[in-house]
Short mmCIF file of all heavy atoms in Angstrom, two decimals:
data_model
loop_
_atom_site.label_atom_id
_atom_site.label_comp_id
_atom_site.label_asym_id
_atom_site.label_seq_id
_atom_site.Cartn_x
_atom_site.Cartn_y
_atom_site.Cartn_z
N LYS N 130 201.05 51.06 118.76
CA LYS N 130 201.03 51.71 117.45
C LYS N 130 201.63 50.79 116.38
O LYS N 130 201.12 50.71 115.25
CB LYS N 130 201.82 53.03 117.50
CG LYS N 130 201.18 54.09 118.38
CD LYS N 130 202.07 55.31 118.50
CE LYS N 130 201.47 56.34 119.45
NZ LYS N 130 202.38 57.51 119.64
N ILE N 131 202.69 50.08 116.74
CA ILE N 131 203.32 49.15 115.80
C ILE N 131 202.36 48.03 115.43
O ILE N 131 202.18 47.68 114.25
CB ILE N 131 204.61 48.57 116.41
CG1 ILE N 131 205.66 49.68 116.56
CG2 ILE N 131 205.16 47.42 115.56
CD1 ILE N 131 206.79 49.33 117.52
N GLU N 132 201.70 47.45 116.43
CA GLU N 132 200.76 46.36 116.19
C GLU N 132 199.59 46.84 115.33
O GLU N 132 199.13 46.11 114.44
CB GLU N 132 200.24 45.81 117.52
CG GLU N 132 199.42 44.53 117.37
CD GLU N 132 199.13 43.89 118.71
OE1 GLU N 132 199.10 44.60 119.74
OE2 GLU N 132 198.94 42.66 118.73
N ALA N 133 199.14 48.06 115.57
CA ALA N 133 198.00 48.58 114.81
C ALA N 133 198.34 48.75 113.34
O ALA N 133 197.50 48.49 112.47
CB ALA N 133 197.55 49.91 115.41
N LYS N 134 199.54 49.16 113.04
CA LYS N 134 199.91 49.37 111.62
C LYS N 134 200.43 48.09 110.96
O LYS N 134 200.51 48.01 109.73
CB LYS N 134 200.92 50.51 111.48
CG LYS N 134 202.30 50.21 111.96
CD LYS N 134 203.26 51.38 111.59
CE LYS N 134 204.67 51.05 111.99
NZ LYS N 134 205.66 52.00 111.46
N GLY N 135 200.82 47.09 111.76
CA GLY N 135 201.22 45.81 111.21
C GLY N 135 202.58 45.78 110.56
O GLY N 135 202.91 44.85 109.83
N ASP N 136 203.38 46.80 110.80
CA ASP N 136 204.70 46.90 110.18
C ASP N 136 205.65 47.44 111.23
O ASP N 136 205.27 48.30 112.04
CB ASP N 136 204.63 47.85 108.97
CG ASP N 136 205.91 47.85 108.18
OD1 ASP N 136 206.29 46.78 107.69
OD2 ASP N 136 206.54 48.93 108.06
N PHE N 137 206.91 46.98 111.24
CA PHE N 137 207.80 47.32 112.34
C PHE N 137 209.20 47.60 111.83
O PHE N 137 209.91 46.70 111.39
CB PHE N 137 207.82 46.15 113.33
CG PHE N 137 208.51 46.44 114.65
CD1 PHE N 137 208.98 47.69 115.00
CD2 PHE N 137 208.67 45.40 115.58
CE1 PHE N 137 209.59 47.93 116.21
CE2 PHE N 137 209.29 45.62 116.81
CZ PHE N 137 209.75 46.88 117.12
N ASP N 138 209.59 48.87 111.85
CA ASP N 138 211.00 49.24 111.70
C ASP N 138 211.51 49.55 113.10
O ASP N 138 211.11 50.54 113.71
CB ASP N 138 211.18 50.45 110.79
CG ASP N 138 212.66 50.78 110.56
OD1 ASP N 138 213.40 50.87 111.57
OD2 ASP N 138 213.09 50.93 109.41
N LEU N 139 212.37 48.69 113.61
CA LEU N 139 212.80 48.80 115.00
C LEU N 139 213.32 50.19 115.33
O LEU N 139 212.99 50.76 116.37
CB LEU N 139 213.89 47.77 115.30
CG LEU N 139 214.46 47.88 116.72
CD1 LEU N 139 213.53 47.24 117.73
CD2 LEU N 139 215.85 47.27 116.80
N MET N 140 214.14 50.75 114.43
CA MET N 140 214.78 52.02 114.76
C MET N 140 213.76 53.16 114.78
O MET N 140 213.67 53.90 115.76
CB MET N 140 215.90 52.32 113.75
CG MET N 140 216.96 51.22 113.66
SD MET N 140 217.61 50.66 115.26
CE MET N 140 218.44 52.14 115.82
N ALA N 141 212.99 53.29 113.72
CA ALA N 141 212.05 54.41 113.62
C ALA N 141 210.91 54.30 114.63
O ALA N 141 210.45 55.31 115.17
CB ALA N 141 211.49 54.50 112.20
N ASP N 142 210.46 53.07 114.89
CA ASP N 142 209.24 52.89 115.67
C ASP N 142 209.47 52.70 117.17
O ASP N 142 208.58 52.96 117.98
CB ASP N 142 208.46 51.67 115.15
CG ASP N 142 208.00 51.84 113.71
OD1 ASP N 142 207.80 53.00 113.30
OD2 ASP N 142 207.84 50.83 113.01
N LEU N 143 210.66 52.25 117.56
CA LEU N 143 210.89 51.98 118.98
C LEU N 143 212.25 52.48 119.48
O LEU N 143 212.30 53.29 120.41
CB LEU N 143 210.77 50.47 119.25
CG LEU N 143 210.98 50.03 120.71
CD1 LEU N 143 209.86 50.57 121.60
CD2 LEU N 143 211.06 48.51 120.82
N ALA N 144 213.33 52.02 118.87
CA ALA N 144 214.67 52.29 119.41
C ALA N 144 215.02 53.77 119.40
O ALA N 144 215.70 54.27 120.30
CB ALA N 144 215.72 51.49 118.64
N ASN N 145 214.57 54.49 118.37
CA ASN N 145 214.83 55.93 118.32
C ASN N 145 213.95 56.71 119.29
O ASN N 145 214.32 57.78 119.76
CB ASN N 145 214.60 56.48 116.91
CG ASN N 145 215.70 56.10 115.93
OD1 ASN N 145 216.78 55.68 116.33
ND2 ASN N 145 215.41 56.22 114.65
N VAL N 146 212.76 56.19 119.55
CA VAL N 146 211.73 56.97 120.23
C VAL N 146 211.77 56.78 121.75
O VAL N 146 211.66 57.76 122.52
CB VAL N 146 210.32 56.61 119.71
CG1 VAL N 146 209.28 57.56 120.28
CG2 VAL N 146 210.29 56.66 118.18
N LEU N 147 211.91 55.54 122.20
CA LEU N 147 211.84 55.26 123.64
C LEU N 147 212.89 56.04 124.44
O LEU N 147 212.55 56.76 125.39
CB LEU N 147 211.97 53.75 123.88
CG LEU N 147 212.02 53.29 125.35
CD1 LEU N 147 210.73 53.62 126.08
CD2 LEU N 147 212.33 51.79 125.43
N PRO N 148 214.19 55.95 124.09
CA PRO N 148 215.19 56.63 124.93
C PRO N 148 215.05 58.15 124.93
O PRO N 148 215.22 58.79 125.97
CB PRO N 148 216.53 56.20 124.32
CG PRO N 148 216.22 54.93 123.59
CD PRO N 148 214.83 55.13 123.06
N VAL N 149 214.76 58.73 123.76
CA VAL N 149 214.67 60.20 123.72
C VAL N 149 213.46 60.68 124.50
O VAL N 149 213.47 61.75 125.11
CB VAL N 149 214.67 60.73 122.27
CG1 VAL N 149 213.31 60.57 121.60
CG2 VAL N 149 215.09 62.20 122.24
N THR N 150 212.39 59.89 124.52
CA THR N 150 211.22 60.25 125.32
C THR N 150 211.56 60.23 126.81
O THR N 150 211.18 61.14 127.56
CB THR N 150 210.05 59.28 125.03
OG1 THR N 150 209.75 59.31 123.63
CG2 THR N 150 208.81 59.67 125.81
N VAL N 151 212.28 59.19 127.23
CA VAL N 151 212.66 59.09 128.64
C VAL N 151 213.55 60.26 129.05
O VAL N 151 213.33 60.92 130.08
CB VAL N 151 213.37 57.75 128.91
CG1 VAL N 151 213.95 57.70 130.32
CG2 VAL N 151 212.41 56.58 128.69
#
Side-chain angles (χ1 to χ4, degrees):
K130 294 174 183 176
I131 293 163
E132 189 170 26
K134 72 173 184 170
D136 188 60
F137 190 6
D138 183 310
L139 177 79
M140 303 311 294
D142 297 332
L143 180 66
N145 286 344
V146 188
L147 176 64
V149 78
T150 303
V151 172

